[in-house]
Amino acid sequence: MKSIWTGKRTYFPTVKAVAYEGPATDNPLAFRFYKADQKVAGKTMEEHFRFATAYWHTFCNEGSDPFGPGTRVFPWNDNKDPLEAARDKADAAFEFTSKLGTPFYCFHDVDASPDHDDPAVYEKNFHVVIKWLKERQEATGVKLLWNTSNLFSHPRYRNGAATNPDFRVVTRGAFQVKTSLEASVELGASNYVFWGGREGYSSLWNTNMKREQEHMARFLMMARDYGRSIGFKGVYLIEPKPMEPSKHQYDFDAATVIGFLRAHGLDKDFKLNLEANHATLAGHEFAHDLQVAADAGLLGSIDANRGDPQNGWDTDQFPNDLYETTKAMLVTLGAGGIGHGGFNFDAKVRRSSTDLTDLFEAHIAGMDAFAVGLVTADRIRSQGKLGKFLSERYASFDSGAGADFEKGKLDFKALAALAHSNQNLHLASGKEEWIEALINQALLAK
Ligand code: XUL
Ligand code: CO
């Protein structure tokens, strides 16, 4: 981090650069467990996580919900001129991020730049804002983890963007993604994200699903090729989510997206951006979807948040469950790390949390929760007990007929014939409770 950004106004005057003070501190604006330069398993915490602040929740979302308006007042939103308001917001975003110490940020086009129905005005605005963002990136050292286009809020996208039944809407989506990819190159983004919130349907009876999915694949191929042609070297990411706002979203979960990418030859350029609350909406543990992606070599990045176990929508809460962060880090470490991705806080403070400092406290708690998860996961891996148990569980495939089976050296008749010598077996326990206790013990160990 080079330096703290202060624009025309200071938006967080009571907050200094957030520092590590250790578990005993009383200071709500300090890290207790996240120590950027602490080495764990050969890398610093900063390198492991590549934490990012999300523009849309932290600088745009004043807390409105379907039943009422926002509850927070963002002082950077008080300018009536949309471009000047965008510059104030960029000032707030970079003051916040450089004080907090997330080395990255993420944004949608219209989070940072005023939207406009006329594509020429939209593009002109965006180019002005990109310059401001670049200036602030250079001054602070805060980098762009990923950017994306919002192809779901404007009413024109009510039936999707790439999958819209009206070709004219597809062209507008392409225009936005093209402009955003130019921004990715200009701002040196590590990744570009596609989240298809409305790429899906609500009634099968007005939908040609096959045609829509083919359009989506075509759109992604064209975007990929355009990005490469202008020098984008980052990773393209698809972010799965099963529903909300669409009833059925095509990018349902990790497994569905992997199948889609492979079917269309997109798996060389695209990976997955996995979000905890999206995995749980799909009926999975977060760690499950991470493992599915990791096993396919397609674990790209993480949207760090959590859902609420008592209700069934995308509550986007800040991660705080140490057991869950430990499991996520077990999978991430097992996959060799997050690579060019990072941990983006796609999370918002609750509607009743109205102090601007709550935004800091939420991120600090999330970073601390992941730091504990990392240290605990590393402890479990170093102890080796879980790893040993797992390899022993599959040891019958390491030699003899089991190994021949894995190598494809047995035909089915030979496989079936072996059943005669495999009678009255004593089968090993799966020991799930022992594993649960082992994770708790590692969490509590000093
Ligand atoms: C929506 C969601 C998005 C994506 C980016 O649930 O997660 O914010 O991360 O469009
Ligand atoms: Co997300």
Side-chain angles (χ1 to χ4, degrees):
M1 205 69 58
K2 280 192 206 150
S3 62
I4 286 174
W5 178 266
T6 331
K8 276 193 294 177
R9 282 186 276 172
T10 306
Y11 293 107
F12 309 99
T14 60
V15 184
K16 298 193 189 58
V18 179
Y20 172 79
E21 292 184 10
T25 188
D26 231 10
N27 179 2
L29 293 169
F31 295 116
R32 282 155 180 74
F33 303 101
Y34 177 72
K35 200 173 174 197
D37 59 2
Q38 183 182 323
K39 281 212 164 173
V40 182
K43 279 198 289 189
T44 65
M45 286 197 179
E46 185 168 311
E47 290 164 344
H48 273 289
F49 292 116
R50 296 160 55 86
F51 280 125
T53 302
Y55 226 88
W56 54 103
H57 286 308
T58 303
F59 311 115
C60 307
N61 178 353
E62 291 181 314
S64 61
D65 72 7
F67 303 94
T71 52
R72 280 181 288 284
V73 179
F74 286 163
W76 51 88
N77 273 349
D78 63 2
N79 201 309
K80 296 276 173 291
D81 179 272
L83 258 181
E84 282 178 29
R87 181 163 50 190
D88 291 345
K89 202 195 281 181
D91 281 339
F94 278 83
E95 182 187 340
F96 180 90
T97 312
S98 59
K99 283 183 169 173
L100 174 64
T102 52
F104 292 91
Y105 74 111
C106 299
F107 72 96
H108 301 82
D109 51 353
V110 297
D111 302 338
S113 178
D115 200 1
H116 203 285
D117 280 342
D118 179 347
V121 180
Y122 163 93
E123 194 175 29
K124 197 160 156 249
N125 286 340
F126 204 2
H127 282 293
V128 173
V129 171
I130 291 169
K131 250 193 261 147
W132 291 336
L133 295 175
K134 196 172 180 181
E135 183 190 350
R136 283 153 186 73
Q137 284 185 201
E138 282 166 2
T140 57
V142 174
K143 297 191 282 293
L144 182 56
L145 182 64
W146 52 260
N147 63 312
T148 182
S149 288
N150 179 329
L151 304 183
F152 45 88
S153 294
H154 193 285
R156 77 170 76 85
Y157 294 126
R158 59 186 166 276
N159 292 310
T163 65
N164 199 290
D166 188 327
F167 176 64
R168 294 169 303 173
V169 180
V170 180
T171 67
R172 175 69 190 222
F175 172 75
Q176 269 181 251
V177 172
K178 176 178 173 286
T179 318
S180 284
L181 285 167
E182 289 156 9
S184 313
V185 173
E186 187 62 21
L187 296 172
S190 298
N191 306 273
Y192 184 83
V193 163
F194 292 88
W195 172 60
R198 296 200 195 267
E199 312 293 16
Y201 67 88
S202 93
S203 168
L204 187 56
W205 315 114
N206 68 8
T207 302
N208 186 331
M209 184 157 51
K210 184 169 189 292
R211 216 165 168 187
E212 289 199 2
Q213 292 196 348
E214 282 164 5
H215 293 171
M216 188 159 81
R218 171 75 54 213
F219 187 98
L220 293 173
M221 281 176 213
M222 292 167 79
R224 172 198 61 191
D225 293 345
Y226 179 71
R228 295 296 181 229
S229 79
I230 59 166
F232 179 64
K233 301 209 166 41
V235 183
Y236 295 106
L237 299 171
I238 307 266
E239 183 174 324
K241 185 176 182 180
M243 63 192 87
E244 199 201 351
S246 296
K247 176 169 160 57
H248 299 278
Q249 197 185 304
Y250 294 138
D251 297 328
F252 188 90
D253 63 358
T256 312
V257 173
I258 291 166
F260 173 85
L261 292 176
R262 286 181 176 157
H264 297 281
L266 290 164
D267 51 324
K268 302 286 171 288
D269 294 276
F270 285 77
K271 290 187 173 177
L272 274 65
N273 180 39
L274 294 166
E275 178 163 325
N277 204 169
H278 295 179
T280 51
L281 277 177
H284 304 308
E285 261 192 87
F286 183 38
H288 165 88
D289 251 24
L290 292 177
Q291 191 68 58
V292 169
D295 288 346
L298 296 178
L299 177 57
S301 199
I302 285 176
D303 268 8
N305 64 12
R306 75 176 206 276
D308 181 314
Q310 274 78 50
N311 64 29
W313 66 86
D314 192 13
T315 57
D316 280 341
Q317 287 163 258
F318 275 84
N320 69 354
D321 183 331
L322 305 179
Y323 206 91
E324 291 300 316
T325 57
T326 299
K327 290 191 285 186
M329 292 318 295
L330 272 173
V331 180
T332 307
L333 288 178
I338 202 64
H340 294 281
F343 287 68
N344 166 50
F345 288 108
D346 195 348
K348 58 190 177 207
V349 296
R350 297 303 88 192
R351 197 165 178 266
S352 69
S353 301
T354 48
D355 291 342
L356 290 186
T357 47
D358 291 333
L359 299 171
F360 278 94
E361 287 167 26
H363 284 82
I364 291 168
M367 291 161 85
D368 273 340
F370 266 101
V372 172
L374 170 66
V375 170
T376 311
D378 179 51
R379 190 174 285 143
I380 293 168
R381 287 168 56 82
S382 310
Q383 283 168 351
K385 285 190 254 179
L386 186 58
K388 184 164 174 279
F389 173 75
L390 194 58
S391 29
E392 283 171 0
R393 195 157 188 243
Y394 293 88
S396 60
F397 294 93
D398 290 343
S399 58
D404 289 344
F405 164 80
E406 275 198 353
K407 289 185 196 123
K409 285 188 182 164
L410 286 185
D411 66 15
F412 200 58
K413 209 168 136 197
L415 180 66
L418 288 167
H420 296 284
S421 50
N422 286 330
Q423 296 183 57
N424 304 320
L425 304 175
H426 172 74
L427 298 177
S429 166
K431 304 205 75 67
E432 288 183 45
E433 297 73 17
W434 172 77
I435 295 168
E436 286 163 3
L438 183 133
I439 298 177
N440 279 345
Q441 287 152 19
L443 263 165
L444 295 169
K446 288 269 178 285

